[in-house]
Amino acid sequence: MRRPHRKAHRMIWPVLALAVLFGFAMTLVLRPPAEPAPPPTQEQRR
C-alpha cells in the first residue's frame, strides 16, 4: 500500500463513520411518534 492510498483510507474511514452516525441519528429523529396507550378498562383498574 502506497502512501497516497494509505492517506485516502485514513480520510475515508472517519467520513464513513460520521455518515453512519448521522444516518442513525436521523432515523431516531425522523421516526413517527409512538401511538398513545389506550386508557385502562374497568377490569384492568382492579
Side-chain angles (χ1 to χ4, degrees):
M1 185 181 296
R2 293 192 174 175
R3 190 171 295 188
H5 190 207
R6 196 173 338 157
K7 188 175 183 180
H9 273 261
R10 285 184 182 160
M11 292 171 59
I12 288 172
W13 287 113
V15 172
L16 182 61
L18 288 174
V20 169
L21 286 173
F22 179 75
F24 181 71
M26 288 296 101
T27 59
L28 293 177
V29 170
L30 298 176
R31 70 180 180 171
E35 295 181 11
T41 61
Q42 290 291 337
E43 294 175 0
Q44 292 176 341
R45 291 183 188 172
R46 294 181 191 181

